[in-house]
Amino acid sequence: MAAQLPIPVFTSLNEIHTDLQTAALQATRWDNLVQEFEKRYGTKPAYICRAPGRVNLIGEHIDYALFGVFPAAVESDILIACGPSTDERLGGVTAENLNPRYTRQTFAPILKNTLLPSAQGTEAASNEESWFLEIDKKELRWESYVKAGYYGILNRFFPPSAPNTRPVPVNLLVTGSVPSGSGLSSSAAMVVASTLAFLAVNDKLSGLTKGQLVEMDMENEKRVGVNSGGMDQAASVISIPQSALYITFFPSLSAEPIPLPTPRTTPRAVFVCANSLVVSDKVVGAKTRYNLRVVETLVGARVLALRLGLSLGPTERPTLREVFGRWLGIAETKGGPSTLDVETLRAGLERILPEVEKLKPSRADGQEGLTLEEMVQWSGLSPEQFHELYLSWVDVEATHFQLYKRAKHVFSEALRVLQFRDVCLRAAASSDTTLPESTLVELGVLMNASQTSCADLYECSCPELDALTKLAREAGAYGSRLTGAGWGGCTVSLVAEDKVDEFISRIKAVYGPYKNLEGDALHDAIFATKPSSGACVYKPALATILYPEYFETVKVDWTVWTQSGPVRYSCGSEAEQKTQS
Ligand code: NG1
């Protein structure tokens, strides 16, 4: 199973970027990172950790309700060059970023008797010493993501009660090509790459599975202040080239690579990401957007359970997926094996959708939301119990809470994910190398329906995203939708490969906010993307450690097996670009 595999440790770049063109482009970037690291810290990095961003093809805002999603890693990524440092502070960190916007930061964890955050984000008193790192949740700071990655490994791998295990001081240099606030999950990529960097330098990688890394990073990212689901971390860690991942979270994390039909169909098709250029700051807007949706879906789950005649204890806080499983009468234990097959899941989703109407208030004014008082009453809890269970751990704000619309989106989107997966699997199973265009049309219809649901029911779109997805369809996309949290950020469109250039030119010409862009900025705003490989650690080969003079010239090297034998590429200099080995 994909989630059970170990974290890959590579010694050459072509193991990471298997197509030569991408590898060649990336080599220059990696080499620059190595050189900059040496300039700043006086030594070569011991490792380079890579974590890609992701594009979610379908399944928006349902990961924290624990329903399956369908993302793929993109080629844009975060790279962190890292190595041990001579910092005298215990576990002290110096973090630099090649982007001058993000200034140099130094920090060190401290041991103190403190309140430890529990897995649920609630505070639980602890008498023992624990590691502490200050993370500012109110302000968006780049190093918060580095700290989040570090925090997660401190108490787990360096128990304060074991004085012989202490974190080593670390130097980091970060470079990223995932635009921030764009819905391509730069934040998860930062947290995953940071976690890997601290694990690698502290020699704690061995035995760790991809699934364990995802679970750690889901917790790590919550430390920055967003109660996110696990989609981004799972996609960044587990993805493989050419495939999307069908990721499920309940009863335990599982990821199934699903080959995309896009490289085999006639016409062939690709996914195009287009940035609306509306920056959506998840942390700052959390209380009226992301975190509010988390609370609305959780309270919606409780009220639905009661309306479906299920019994719930006053301290139980199930998700919509858990309520769904109980309603189907399936015995499922968190962390246990999955007992719900895809067919039962699909049939169940179709059956539960009409039941969601039970969450709709019957009011003359058409208001589908509930005031706080009404919501507390509907939950069957006292105001104190309600506050403790749903509000004490999160800051949210709304005049009306939309339980009905949010639950309707979640169940219908979960069904669309299964339908999307089916189309892809059907295409993959066909022995015919030419698939009908209707395959792409079916995928496009599902993407468009997802956009409508995100806009109308989940209210996570915005006028620019609505406009951009509409323009994309008019420019010939089979389907187009927002990707990621929404309220700004990127769209993803499915476009025939032979029409991509025309499609991109058309959008550049008609989407208003692109009119002031040129050069790289315009190129970075709209681009076709291929599903790429997941997170990994690059470790210079043994030879490079034993023979420093070799390392001098061959900063990043890789070998490509051609018909006439292996060809070694390196990026030490132009002259070294290609040498037959
Ligand atoms: P973005 O903001 O695109 O990284 C967020 C959440 C996901 C998921 C999507 C909506 C984080 C780190 N990620 O993605 O878990 O809920 O929104 O589908 O908050």
Side-chain angles (χ1 to χ4, degrees):
M1 240 231 346
Q4 306 309 323
L5 296 173
I7 311 297
V9 179
F10 295 128
T11 54
S12 70
L13 200 56
N14 71 313
E15 292 174 277
I16 301 166
H17 293 290
T18 46
D19 92 274
L20 186 54
Q21 208 188 352
T22 314
L25 279 173
Q26 289 297 326
T28 317
R29 181 171 164 246
W30 284 58
D31 188 43
N32 179 47
L33 182 67
V34 171
Q35 288 180 16
E36 286 293 331
F37 186 95
E38 192 174 11
K39 249 192 244 164
R40 290 159 201 241
Y41 298 117
T43 59
K44 308 273 186 203
Y47 302 92
I48 298 177
C49 299
R50 169 182 189 266
R54 64 96 189 94
V55 55
N56 190 21
L57 304 180
I58 197 155
E60 224 58 83
H61 285 281
I62 61 174
D63 57 346
Y64 49 87
L66 301 186
F67 277 105
V69 294
F70 206 82
V74 292
E75 286 159 320
S76 322
D77 58 20
I78 302 285
L79 299 179
I80 302 188
C82 54
S85 87
T86 50
D87 193 325
E88 282 172 2
R89 296 164 307 168
L90 181 61
V93 176
T94 301
E96 297 212 23
N97 199 308
L98 282 188
N99 185 334
R101 246 175 75 197
Y102 306 122
T103 55
R104 179 178 205 263
Q105 300 293 324
T106 64
F107 51 87
I110 51 169
L111 278 168
K112 67 176 191 179
N113 272 324
T114 185
L115 292 177
L116 269 182
S118 78
Q120 281 74 35
T122 52
E123 300 286 320
S126 159
N127 293 326
E128 288 175 12
E129 266 199 321
S130 66
W131 291 102
F132 176 79
L133 260 178
E134 186 80 51
I135 297 182
D136 187 344
K137 292 189 180 175
K138 296 265 166 350
E139 207 190 323
L140 188 69
R141 301 191 57 90
W142 81 273
E143 74 279 9
S144 297
Y145 296 95
V146 179
K147 288 180 178 174
Y150 197 16
Y151 217 143
I153 74 161
L154 286 168
N155 288 305
R156 184 180 173 129
F157 291 95
F158 304 99
S161 54
N164 294 338
T165 56
R166 289 293 180 248
V168 298
V170 177
N171 286 329
L172 304 172
L173 180 60
V174 179
T175 186
S177 57
V178 194
S180 62
S182 68
L184 297 182
S185 214
S186 57
S187 60
M190 267 296 285
V191 174
V192 171
S194 305
T195 308
L196 281 178
F198 291 111
L199 288 170
V201 178
N202 282 289
D203 201 14
K204 300 287 182 196
L205 272 176
S206 77
L208 195 72
T209 65
K210 293 184 178 190
Q212 287 167 332
L213 179 64
V214 172
E215 269 152 20
M216 279 169 65
D217 279 324
M218 285 166 65
E219 282 312 313
N220 289 350
E221 193 150 349
K222 290 195 174 109
R223 296 180 192 279
V224 185
V226 179
N227 289 277
S228 64
M231 165 169 73
D232 305 348
Q233 298 82 358
S236 184
V237 172
I238 307 176
S239 286
I240 58 169
Q242 307 280 1
S243 298
L245 287 182
Y246 171 58
I247 306 174
T248 51
F249 305 93
F250 189 78
S252 42
L253 177 76
S254 129
E256 179 191 13
I258 308 281
L260 288 168
T262 45
R264 297 177 59 230
T265 47
T266 300
R268 286 150 63 103
V270 291
F271 290 98
V272 176
C273 295
N275 196 332
S276 66
L277 300 183
V278 176
V279 176
S280 163
D281 179 345
K282 255 193 339 245
V283 174
V284 177
K287 74 175 177 182
T288 54
R289 293 176 168 176
Y290 198 94
N291 285 351
L292 175 60
R293 299 295 182 276
V294 173
V295 170
E296 286 171 323
T297 53
L298 283 170
V299 180
R302 161 168 282 270
V303 177
L304 184 63
L306 299 178
R307 304 216 158 180
L308 292 173
L310 303 170
S311 61
L312 277 187
T315 57
E316 274 191 279
R317 196 177 59 199
T319 58
L320 283 167
R321 169 64 183 77
E322 288 163 281
V323 167
F324 171 73
R326 289 194 209 177
W327 178 69
L328 288 180
I330 311 259
E332 297 173 296
T333 332
K334 215 174 192 147
S338 176
T339 42
L340 185 56
D341 62 85
V342 174
E343 272 323 308
T344 317
L345 181 60
R346 184 200 330 276
L349 285 168
E350 277 161 6
R351 268 178 48 218
I352 204 164
L353 269 162
E355 302 288 336
V356 177
E357 299 301 312
K358 293 181 172 149
L359 291 178
K360 193 170 178 176
S362 46
R363 266 207 287 251
D365 63 3
Q367 171 60 257
E368 288 169 327
L370 303 175
T371 62
L372 179 60
E373 293 68 35
E374 287 168 331
M375 182 166 70
V376 173
Q377 204 188 2
W378 282 39
S379 75
L381 298 172
S382 69
E384 294 71 30
Q385 286 170 322
F386 185 92
H387 183 271
E388 179 57 30
L389 202 53
Y390 291 106
L391 300 175
S392 60
W393 46 273
V394 66
D395 190 16
V396 296
E397 198 179 281
T399 48
H400 286 91
F401 295 80
Q402 306 289 343
L403 311 190
Y404 164 67
K405 291 208 268 188
R406 309 307 184 230
K408 192 165 175 178
H409 166 79
V410 170
F411 289 119
S412 62
E413 185 77 352
L415 185 56
R416 281 187 287 273
V417 169
L418 295 183
Q419 292 162 340
F420 201 92
R421 174 183 173 277
D422 272 1
V423 178
C424 295
L425 285 177
R426 227 187 308 130
S430 159
S431 54
D432 202 342
T433 49
T434 308
L435 292 169
E437 193 179 358
S438 59
T439 306
L440 301 177
V441 173
E442 277 183 78
L443 296 178
V445 166
L446 291 165
M447 291 172 77
N448 292 339
S450 167
Q451 172 61 25
T452 306
S453 185
C454 283
D456 299 346
L457 296 175
Y458 220 71
E459 297 171 293
C460 61
S461 190
C462 65
E464 292 82 354
L465 285 169
D466 293 339
L468 196 48
T469 50
K470 183 162 175 280
L471 290 171
R473 282 175 220 124
E474 287 166 3
Y478 290 105
S480 185
R481 56 183 297 280
L482 65 85
T483 182
W487 296 289
C490 280
T491 59
V492 57
S493 306
L494 182 63
V495 181
E497 195 179 53
D498 58 356
K499 304 222 171 72
V500 164
D501 292 344
E502 191 189 322
F503 173 82
I504 292 181
S505 312
R506 176 99 189 268
I507 298 293
K508 282 179 179 170
V510 293
Y511 182 58
Y514 288 172
K515 291 193 176 136
N516 302 324
L517 295 185
E518 48 189 17
D520 283 353
L522 187 54
H523 181 263
D524 292 349
I526 177 164
F527 52 90
T529 183
K530 283 193 227 113
S532 102
S533 55
C536 66
V537 173
Y538 169 84
K539 184 178 178 190
L542 197 56
T544 61
I545 294 168
L546 295 178
Y547 304 106
E549 67 282 9
Y550 174 80
F551 198 62
E552 273 326 302
T553 50
V554 187
K555 279 23 173 252
V556 177
D557 65 311
W558 72 99
T559 307
V560 176
W561 273 266
T562 65
Q563 277 177 338
S564 54
V567 175
R568 177 161 285 265
Y569 287 79
S570 74
C571 57
S573 71
E574 279 297 310
E576 288 171 318
Q577 282 281 317
K578 190 176 164 194
T579 48
Q580 198 84 30
S581 62

